[in-house]
Amino acid sequence: MKLLKQFQILMLLLAATVVSAQVTFEAKVSKKKLGINERLRVDFEMNQDGDNFNPPDFANFMVVGGPNQAVSNSWINGKRSYSKTYSYFLAPKRQGTFTINQATIEIDGEIYKTTPVQIMVTSAVETPKDGNNADYIASENIHLVAEVSKTNPYLNEAITVVYKLYVSPNTGVSNWREIDNPKYSDFWSQNIDIKGLKVLNGTYKGEDYRYVVLRKTVLYPQKTGELEIEPLSLDITVDVPTNRRDIFGTRLMNQVHKTVSAGKRTINVKPLPERGKPSDFTGAVGDFNFKVTTSKYELNASESLQAKVEVSGTGNLKLFELPKLNLPSSLEVYEPEHAENVRTNLDGMSGSISDSYTVVPQYRGKYPIPSISFSYFDLRSQSYKTINSNEMVIDVLEGPTTNSAQDITSVNGNKQRVVLNDNQFAFVKTNTKFTSIKPTHFFKSIAFWSAMILPFLAIPLVLVFKQQKEKRQADVFGNKIRKADKLAKKYLGEAKKVLGNKEAFYIALEKALHNYLKAKLHIETSEFTKEKISNLLNDRGVDDHTIKDFIAILEHCELARYTPIDQVEMQKDYDLAAKTITVIDKEIR
């Protein structure tokens, strides 16, 4: 009886112990105040096993390790002890006071949450100088350096920034990634491609190191005064040697995560001197050559030439404007085509930029192209220099002469005397149009009944139009012919407008034929020979007779400018060109 009572008491105590055992789930941190160069360990610990663990987002921190999972299960004096922990290692991204939010887990169908923890991140703290401390060893043997070629450049003078990662011989780097990229907000910048990272030998503060060039950037300052270059920051996995060795005597390595930064660099940009600055200076800084050239000096009216304004050398080639050509008003000038052939290396930009003008004279005569100047700031002599182009004369040998009394060879000669007439006040209205003040209503008006009846009257017309359209779409052969005729009219439209003006007509006709080939063959044919054009059309399946007609028209366009031709013959050439384009469009593959 006594034994039974003792057993009952033991069972009651065990039940009370089970009832009193509560679920605990809490977050523990290694420290609540740390420097931005330190690491934080966060443990999420529970006393019962659970499912669906969900960590917080760790805003303002970067996860550099984890999650690591540890489970402890033991019996002491008949009492079971269970613990399960998820561990994370965090690196702060910036200074401030931040909160590690709640983590959640599901235990026996219930959701449990941790209490948020506040962490204060201060400025960098001094790492303990402990030779056995892996973080200290890593900080003393890994260095990121930004080497700036010049800290006091002129405005628009090229400087280079080279980022090097120095690693001492007794440590290693197994992985790295950029976490903070510099933004060059006050600079024109261009990165120089690095093909493969090469490990080189060098010195850092008088000691032997290995280093890798991570990035090369060329900068052109766009403002004067003190400008800051933002730092490049890296997260690096460092292999740190320990005092332990393996069975072969090789020293064992311990991996730690380290954040390194190149630090901010301040550049003091000097303004360009005002003394001696030319009036045509547009910001060119460097060492340049300047010239103006033309593709030909003699030609006939309505032919074209290319006038090229070019600057070459070393400097900020993409950051200034080229001078404009000043041409006589009787020359037809098209908008220039801008071209750049620029390379960028550690010395800055080098190469050439140019503007090419297409010039077409309309009348016979001699046309001067006056000298123009280009000014730049020379960094070697620290002074302004001006280069003048040579004056040139374009001789138009054949063509019509102008009937205008003004001098067509003068520059900007398009100014004319203002002539007054008797209609100075023609803009004043003398007739007044009155409108009725009596309101008119739309209901039951003629427009109202028209709007009601016309839709019904239009139904038969729509049906007839639809039938005609379906019939037209079914006519495949007829559609091909109409499409070809439409294409011919498209390209020959300009020639038809000037039918009767011999020279203008044949220039437009020849241009139309080349534009048609350009659209069909997707190549520039204006510089091809007639034999080359014949071969191209023959390769695309065009009949030999059709090719001969096409070449004959091209040849006739060239000869007709210098032979007397009436409008009837021009009309025949136009019709033959339209017919030939139509035939080629049907035959070409």
Side-chain angles (χ1 to χ4, degrees):
M1 188 70 179
K2 186 177 181 180
L3 183 61
L4 179 61
K5 185 177 286 187
Q6 289 178 347
F7 179 75
Q8 289 175 346
I9 293 172
L10 181 61
M11 292 300 293
L12 289 172
L13 291 174
L14 182 60
T17 302
V18 173
V19 171
S20 63
Q22 296 181 349
V23 176
T24 60
F25 180 47
E26 56 185 346
K28 299 180 180 180
V29 295
S30 59
K31 57 179 74 175
K32 293 189 176 181
K33 183 178 180 181
L34 70 156
I36 195 170
N37 60 333
E38 294 184 292
R39 297 290 184 269
L40 176 69
R41 174 172 174 166
V42 183
D43 294 332
F44 298 99
E45 188 175 323
M46 64 205 75
N47 64 348
Q48 290 190 29
D49 195 10
D51 299 312
N52 301 323
F53 173 70
N54 187 21
D57 57 3
F58 297 119
N60 302 304
F61 292 89
M62 182 173 56
V63 179
V64 296
N68 300 328
Q69 182 176 327
V71 177
S72 174
N73 195 1
S74 62
W75 290 86
I76 301 176
N77 297 327
K79 183 177 180 181
R80 179 176 178 266
S81 175
Y82 178 86
S83 174
K84 184 176 182 180
T85 305
Y86 291 94
S87 300
Y88 290 85
F89 295 89
L90 309 178
K93 294 180 180 179
R94 51 183 173 272
Q95 300 180 34
T97 301
F98 310 114
T99 300
I100 295 178
N101 295 321
Q102 295 175 325
T104 61
I105 196 166
E106 182 180 350
I107 301 176
D108 294 334
E110 296 288 335
I111 302 296
Y112 293 87
K113 300 179 180 180
T114 61
T115 303
V117 181
Q118 275 198 342
I119 303 296
M120 180 182 290
V121 180
T122 65
S123 58
V125 297
E126 184 179 356
T127 306
K129 296 182 179 181
D130 182 2
N132 296 321
N133 184 280
D135 287 333
Y136 171 73
I137 295 173
S139 64
E140 290 295 307
N141 291 275
I142 304 292
H143 308 280
L144 180 61
V145 178
E147 297 181 354
V148 180
S149 62
K150 194 171 185 179
T151 57
N152 60 337
Y154 279 103
L155 181 70
N156 268 318
E157 179 182 358
I159 62 173
T160 57
V161 183
V162 180
Y163 295 93
K164 295 180 179 180
L165 180 65
Y166 285 90
V167 182
S168 66
N170 59 343
T171 56
V173 173
S174 57
N175 192 17
W176 65 274
R177 65 185 181 91
E178 295 183 1
I179 59 176
D180 197 5
N181 293 319
K183 298 179 180 63
Y184 311 106
S185 55
D186 295 322
F187 299 86
W188 182 95
S189 63
Q190 181 169 335
N191 291 327
I192 299 176
D193 292 335
I194 299 176
K195 297 181 179 179
L197 299 179
K198 296 181 181 179
V199 180
L200 304 172
N201 294 321
T203 58
Y204 177 77
K205 293 185 178 180
E207 298 183 7
D208 291 335
Y209 271 81
R210 295 167 296 161
Y211 71 91
V212 174
V213 177
L214 300 178
R215 180 184 291 187
K216 298 177 182 178
T217 305
V218 176
L219 304 177
Y220 284 88
Q222 301 299 293
K223 291 171 59 178
T224 59
E226 290 189 354
L227 306 181
E228 285 191 349
I229 299 177
E230 296 182 0
L232 172 68
S233 298
L234 306 176
D235 178 67
I236 302 177
T237 303
V238 185
D239 296 326
V240 178
T242 65
N243 293 326
R244 297 178 290 114
R245 298 180 182 272
D246 59 15
I247 59 175
F248 300 103
T250 304
R251 188 183 295 273
L252 297 176
M253 307 294 283
N254 185 20
Q255 285 191 341
V256 296
H257 289 274
K258 190 71 181 173
T259 300
V260 294
S261 175
K264 291 184 178 180
R265 299 298 301 270
T266 300
I267 307 298
N268 187 13
V269 182
K270 298 180 293 186
L272 297 175
E274 292 295 328
R275 184 177 181 180
K277 181 184 289 187
S279 59
D280 62 345
F281 178 72
T282 59
V285 176
D287 184 14
F288 301 107
N289 294 316
F290 172 67
K291 61 181 178 179
V292 177
T293 57
T294 60
S295 59
K296 59 182 76 171
Y297 294 96
E298 294 182 351
L299 72 164
N300 297 327
S302 299
E303 294 181 349
S304 65
L305 63 88
Q306 299 293 320
K308 186 176 183 181
V309 179
E310 182 180 24
V311 171
S312 60
T314 302
N316 59 334
L317 285 164
K318 296 183 179 181
L319 304 177
F320 60 84
E321 294 182 358
L322 288 170
K324 303 296 183 183
L325 271 183
N326 194 10
L327 296 173
S329 60
S330 297
L331 295 177
E332 185 178 355
V333 184
Y334 295 89
E335 284 295 320
E337 294 183 5
H338 186 73
E340 295 181 354
N341 181 18
V342 180
R343 303 170 301 279
T344 304
N345 52 35
L346 284 179
D347 294 326
M349 289 185 275
S350 61
S352 64
I353 59 173
S354 63
D355 283 342
S356 295
Y357 297 80
T358 299
V359 182
V360 182
Q362 300 297 317
Y363 303 102
R364 186 172 58 202
K366 293 183 181 294
Y367 298 87
I369 298 182
S371 172
I372 58 175
S373 62
F374 169 73
S375 298
Y376 67 96
F377 183 75
D378 183 30
L379 293 170
R380 294 181 181 178
S381 62
Q382 297 188 4
S383 62
Y384 293 98
K385 292 187 177 181
T386 300
I387 305 175
N388 294 300
S389 65
N390 295 325
E391 184 175 347
M392 295 174 288
V393 176
I394 304 300
D395 191 3
V396 181
L397 302 176
E398 295 185 10
T401 58
T402 179
N403 295 324
S404 174
Q406 70 180 40
D407 181 12
I408 65 170
T409 63
S410 64
V411 179
N412 296 329
N414 56 350
K415 296 181 180 179
Q416 298 182 4
R417 186 172 60 88
V418 177
V419 180
L420 298 177
N421 55 34
D422 296 332
N423 296 323
Q424 301 95 299
F425 302 101
F427 61 90
V428 179
K429 289 186 177 180
T430 57
N431 296 324
T432 304
K433 185 177 180 181
F434 296 97
T435 57
S436 175
I437 61 174
K438 183 179 179 180
T440 57
H441 300 285
F442 177 71
F443 184 65
K444 293 185 177 181
S445 65
I446 296 176
F448 171 78
W449 293 115
S450 299
M452 292 288 291
I453 297 172
L454 284 177
F456 295 99
L457 297 177
I459 293 175
L461 296 176
V462 172
L463 295 176
V464 173
F465 175 77
K466 186 177 179 181
Q467 290 177 355
Q468 292 295 329
K469 184 178 180 182
E470 291 176 351
K471 182 178 179 181
R472 189 181 182 93
Q473 289 177 345
D475 185 9
V476 178
F477 182 74
N479 285 335
K480 285 185 177 181
I481 295 176
R482 284 188 289 270
K483 182 179 178 182
D485 291 341
K486 184 177 179 182
L487 191 66
K489 292 177 181 178
K490 171 186 173 183
Y491 285 100
L492 297 174
E494 290 297 325
K496 190 172 184 180
K497 291 179 183 178
V498 293
L499 192 64
N501 184 345
K502 182 190 71 173
E503 192 162 350
F505 169 75
Y506 283 105
I507 290 174
L509 187 63
E510 184 179 13
K511 186 176 180 181
L513 295 175
H514 279 288
N515 285 341
Y516 169 75
L517 286 184
K518 180 180 178 181
K520 277 295 176 184
L521 303 178
H522 304 292
I523 57 174
E524 187 65 53
T525 62
S526 59
E527 298 180 358
F528 281 5
T529 62
K530 298 178 183 62
E531 291 77 14
K532 183 66 174 179
I533 293 174
S534 299
N535 293 334
L536 289 172
L537 291 175
N538 189 43
D539 293 340
R540 297 292 295 271
V542 180
D543 185 70
D544 291 339
H545 180 71
T546 307
I547 296 174
K548 289 180 181 179
D549 288 344
F550 189 85
I551 298 301
I553 297 170
L554 285 176
E555 292 176 347
H556 195 245
C557 287
E558 297 176 359
L559 297 174
R561 302 182 201 173
Y562 310 104
T563 57
I565 291 178
D566 57 12
Q567 186 167 349
V568 175
E569 191 168 353
M570 280 189 270
Q571 183 65 49
K572 290 182 180 179
D573 290 337
Y574 175 85
D575 295 337
L576 180 59
K579 178 183 175 182
T580 306
I581 289 177
T582 302
V583 174
I584 291 176
D585 199 66
K586 289 189 291 184
E587 294 178 354
I588 197 167
R589 294 196 301 267

